[in-house]
Amino acid sequence: MVTDSKPNPHRGIIVGNYCHDILLHNNLVIAETLGGAASFISTVLDALSLPFHLVSKVGSDFSHAALTTNHPPLVVSTSQTTLFHAHFGSNHPDRILNRVGSCDPISPSEIPSGSRFEFGMAVGVGGEILPETLEKMLEICDFVFVDIQGLIRRFEDKDGRVNHVGLKESGFFHLLPKISFLKASEDEALFIDLEEVRKWCCVVVTHGKDGCEVFCKDGCLKVDPFEACQVDPTGAGDCFLGGFAAGIVQGLDVYDAALLGNFFGSLAVAQVGPPSLDMNLVQD
């Protein structure tokens, strides 16, 4: 327990790098956007007026500073901004993701000391979350939400193709008892032993257009989706997690928080890049 804590204007802390996302259809560039789970989640938490501190790193080539003025990143002059190519096409309708470049990882020393946070969100996308960094978050936050993609993603040397390792081989497995909620897509869930992991922490598995499931040690529940016209699936899981975490923090039960997450996920797929949110719709 940290005893030298001081009042903090931010209720939460988000840790994860901003990215450059390039979307390609049949190898033709159709969009270049701000990416990274932190960018999508920031949009959701801002829409819900939930204050937070952001720890995100980019290189001097970062091209979206105007979009991140409310939550500016740390600029590392000796590094580049993490860059992803997302490939779509008639030969591969599902997204193929390649990490083309990566920024430096986030170290424990870059996590604020001397303050406690009500909640933390570890939302790496390009390998920037280290086990020791997550451990520091677990020490200073009352409860922590973790996106499993930041723990199990690995990248091929040749082209940066995104692959996965089992959670037990990731270097993070020993931290599970301290994690409050672990979010995974249905594809990522294949790399964990769900029946074992749910004994240690609550696991939320997203199923895209089919909603999500929540697995805890004493049971599971299915939460229906919201209808959406999909334009780009990038960031849907991130917006889901932002809405889910906000719901939990604001006192909703797990089912209603997951329903709120599904709502924000549906808004994300209807737009390219971090979504523009209609505040009247959010209030309704």
Side-chain angles (χ1 to χ4, degrees), residues 11-117:
R11 294 182 65 180
I13 179 171
I14 297 176
V15 179
N17 287 346
Y18 288 138
C19 304
H20 291 156
D21 281 352
I22 297 181
L23 279 61
L24 302 100
H25 186 267
N26 292 333
N27 294 320
L28 295 177
V29 175
I30 59 173
E32 299 184 27
T33 69
L34 171 65
S39 66
F40 289 89
I41 292 172
S42 296
T43 300
V44 172
L45 297 192
D46 282 342
L48 296 173
S49 301
L50 192 61
F52 62 90
H53 176 76
L54 175 76
V55 181
S56 184
K57 298 171 79 169
V58 299
S60 56
D61 62 335
F62 185 56
S63 59
H64 298 292
L67 300 177
T68 59
T69 53
N70 290 335
H71 308 288
L74 302 170
V75 179
V76 184
S77 61
T78 56
S79 186
Q80 62 178 317
T81 301
T82 299
L83 170 62
F84 281 97
H85 285 181
H87 293 269
F88 302 86
S90 54
N91 293 329
H92 43 80
D94 294 331
R95 182 181 65 168
I96 295 176
L97 196 62
N98 298 75
R99 188 189 69 175
V100 180
S102 61
C103 195
D104 293 347
I106 298 170
S107 68
S109 63
E110 289 162 325
I111 306 299
S113 297
S115 295
R116 285 201 64 80
F117 295 91

Side-chain angles (χ1 to χ4, degrees), residues 6 10-11 15 52-53 57 63 84 88 115 127 129-130 135 157 159 175 191 193 239 250-251 261 264 267 275 282:
K6 57 186 178 182
H10 300 115
R11 294 182 65 180
V15 179
F52 62 90
H53 176 76
K57 298 171 79 169
S63 59
F84 281 97
F88 302 86
S115 295
I129 302 292
L130 305 172
E135 192 162 14
D157 292 336
D159 59 2
L175 298 175
F191 294 87
D193 183 338
C239 287
Q250 301 285 38
F264 280 104
L267 296 181
V282 171

Side-chain angles (χ1 to χ4, degrees), residues 168-273:
K168 286 187 176 180
E169 292 73 54
S170 68
F172 292 89
F173 190 81
H174 66 289
L175 298 175
L176 283 179
K178 298 180 181 179
I179 293 172
S180 301
F181 295 93
L182 183 68
K183 174 259 175 188
S185 69
E186 58 184 346
D187 292 333
E188 293 163 344
L190 299 175
F191 294 87
I192 67 176
D193 183 338
L194 185 57
E195 291 306 312
E196 181 176 6
V197 172
R198 66 190 287 188
K199 298 175 184 177
W200 298 106
C201 67
C202 189
V203 182
V204 185
V205 179
T206 57
H207 296 286
K209 63 181 179 61
D210 296 318
C212 69
E213 292 179 281
V214 182
F215 299 86
C216 298
K217 62 181 179 180
D218 55 353
C220 64
L221 56 89
K222 182 174 177 58
V223 184
D224 291 333
F226 286 81
E227 291 187 6
C229 180
Q230 180 170 300
V231 175
D232 173 23
T234 305
D238 305 323
C239 287
F240 167 86
L241 183 57
F244 176 77
I248 294 293
V249 171
Q250 301 285 38
L252 296 183
D253 61 29
V254 171
Y255 179 88
D256 286 337
L259 194 64
L260 184 63
N262 283 347
F263 171 71
F264 280 104
S266 71
L267 296 181
V269 301
Q271 303 176 50
V272 175

